[in-house]
Amino acid sequence: RDDIQVHHGPRGPSQPLRRTRQTIETRASILVVYSGPTKNRKSNKLDELYRKNLDHFLRHGIECSSSSSYQDTVIAVGQEYYDEYAPRISALDASCRPHGGRVMLVSRRASCYDMEAVRLAFYGGVPGI
């Protein structure tokens, strides 16, 4: 019978073990780590570009309406931008959670921009990831 398994330990056969049949349902999991603006220097055109790029990503880059896949999105910004983006990220998170996704905002240091964002996501800087 294929639902019986006999375990042979160091002292010979032991009692048969019942093998349970389980169906494991999996869905694709996606982790997006977005490194946003860090400093708010109004005279610096790159800072304004980073801000515009983040605004575009928040409008078009997060898919919350599909229940076919989970998408967790971590957005890392400098402390100067955290309070500005927190309400918007919170609203996106609330709309994604019913579909299995999350959107999280974290503050990062102003060094190694992209790699600092990845470090936070993979090494304990983002709760639940």
Side-chain angles (χ1 to χ4, degrees):
R1 295 178 24 197
D2 69 346
D3 65 337
I4 301 293
Q5 175 184 13
V6 177
H7 174 70
H8 293 278
R11 296 188 182 126
S14 61
Q15 292 294 325
L17 301 173
R18 287 233 178 253
R19 191 181 308 161
T20 60
R21 295 174 194 233
Q22 294 179 342
T23 302
I24 299 172
E25 182 179 330
T26 59
R27 298 193 295 177
S29 295
I30 301 166
L31 174 62
V32 176
V33 180
Y34 189 98
S35 182
T38 301
K39 295 183 178 179
N40 192 0
R41 299 168 294 197
K42 296 187 187 321
S43 62
N44 190 325
K45 291 185 181 198
L46 272 179
D47 293 334
E48 185 59 29
L49 177 64
Y50 295 149
R51 186 184 177 114
K52 286 181 180 179
N53 286 344
L54 176 56
D55 289 338
H56 181 82
F57 177 75
L58 293 176
R59 280 192 309 276
H60 305 290
I62 299 174
E63 176 59 49
C64 291
S65 61
S66 173
S67 60
S68 63
S69 68
Y70 291 113
Q71 177 177 325
D72 287 343
T73 304
V74 175
I75 299 170
V77 296
Q79 185 60 43
E80 295 179 37
Y81 287 98
Y82 188 89
D83 291 337
E84 177 183 342
Y85 281 98
R88 191 168 172 190
I89 301 302
S90 181
L92 276 170
D93 183 52
S95 68
C96 287
R97 287 210 180 238
H99 303 286
R102 298 177 293 180
V103 182
M104 295 155 277
L105 181 67
V106 295
S107 174
R108 66 171 164 75
R109 298 179 294 185
S111 65
C112 303
Y113 303 113
D114 294 345
M115 296 315 302
E116 175 66 6
V118 171
R119 183 191 68 79
L120 287 170
F122 289 133
Y123 295 105
V126 182
I129 295 291

